[in-house]
């Protein structure tokens, strides 16, 4: 867990406006009951590190707080999350859909800025 969160924080610290960052995670993903009321479906999506039984899972709220919010303006970030329940694991107000019939960006109409701004 710490290796993942430390790497995210280092990326945030090192990236400058104009940089391009590709973030790739391949591993286990999951869901836990929402702990702060910001999820329409009642669940936080998670990354499950190898030491999750001791250190815990990494919630989408953690990713938003550690990586999305502090990222400098002007940094172009592409994230590829190869895990279960990854569609909204970055807690963004939009998502990329490629379901075999469609390829598009769509806004998440239920996105709750108020819940995330309080992090």
């Amino acid at each position: 867990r710490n290796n993942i969160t430390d790497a995210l924080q280092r990326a945030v610290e090192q990236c400058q406006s104009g940089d391009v960052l590709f973030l790739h995670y391949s591993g286990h993903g999951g869901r836990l009951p929402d702990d702060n009321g910001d999820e329409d479906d009642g669940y936080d999506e998670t990354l499950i590190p190898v030491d999750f039984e001791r250190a815990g899972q990494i919630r989408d709220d953690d990713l938003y707080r550690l990586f999305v919010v502090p990222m400098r303006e002007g940094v172009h970030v592409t994230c590829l999350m190869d895990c279960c329940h990854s569609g909204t694991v970055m807690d963004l107000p939009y998502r990329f859909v490629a379901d075999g019939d469609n390829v598009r960006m769509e806004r998440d109409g239920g996105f709750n800025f108020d819940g995330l701004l309080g992090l």
Side-chain angles (χ1 to χ4, degrees), residues 8-51:
L8 294 172
Q9 289 174 316
R10 276 193 314 275
V12 167
E13 291 167 3
Q14 294 174 8
C15 284
Q16 302 295 320
S17 182
D19 286 349
V20 175
L21 174 67
F22 182 79
L23 171 66
H24 177 223
Y25 173 82
S26 282
H28 293 291
R31 296 176 5 154
L32 292 173
D34 180 20
D35 64 353
N36 66 355
D38 69 327
E39 302 287 347
D40 283 344
D41 66 357
Y43 291 94
D44 284 325
E45 288 70 41
T46 64
L47 303 182
I48 304 177
V50 69
D51 63 347

Side-chain angles (χ1 to χ4, degrees), residues 11-96:
V12 167
E13 291 167 3
Q14 294 174 8
C15 284
Q16 302 295 320
S17 182
D19 286 349
V20 175
L21 174 67
F22 182 79
L23 171 66
H24 177 223
Y25 173 82
S26 282
H28 293 291
R31 296 176 5 154
L32 292 173
D34 180 20
D35 64 353
N36 66 355
D38 69 327
E39 302 287 347
D40 283 344
D41 66 357
Y43 291 94
D44 284 325
E45 288 70 41
T46 64
L47 303 182
I48 304 177
V50 69
D51 63 347
F52 78 96
E53 290 178 330
R54 179 181 52 77
Q57 298 179 40
I58 302 170
R59 291 178 182 262
D60 51 9
D61 296 341
D62 299 327
L63 294 172
Y64 189 84
R65 179 179 49 82
L66 294 171
F67 185 73
V68 175
V69 170
M71 186 59 70
R72 288 183 177 88
E73 185 175 341
V75 177
H76 182 87
V77 179
T78 300
C79 296
L80 174 61
M81 298 300 196
D82 177 20
C83 58
C84 292
H85 306 289
S86 63
T88 58
V89 76
M90 297 302 287
D91 262 349
L92 299 174
Y94 51 86
R95 65 177 168 233
F96 177 73

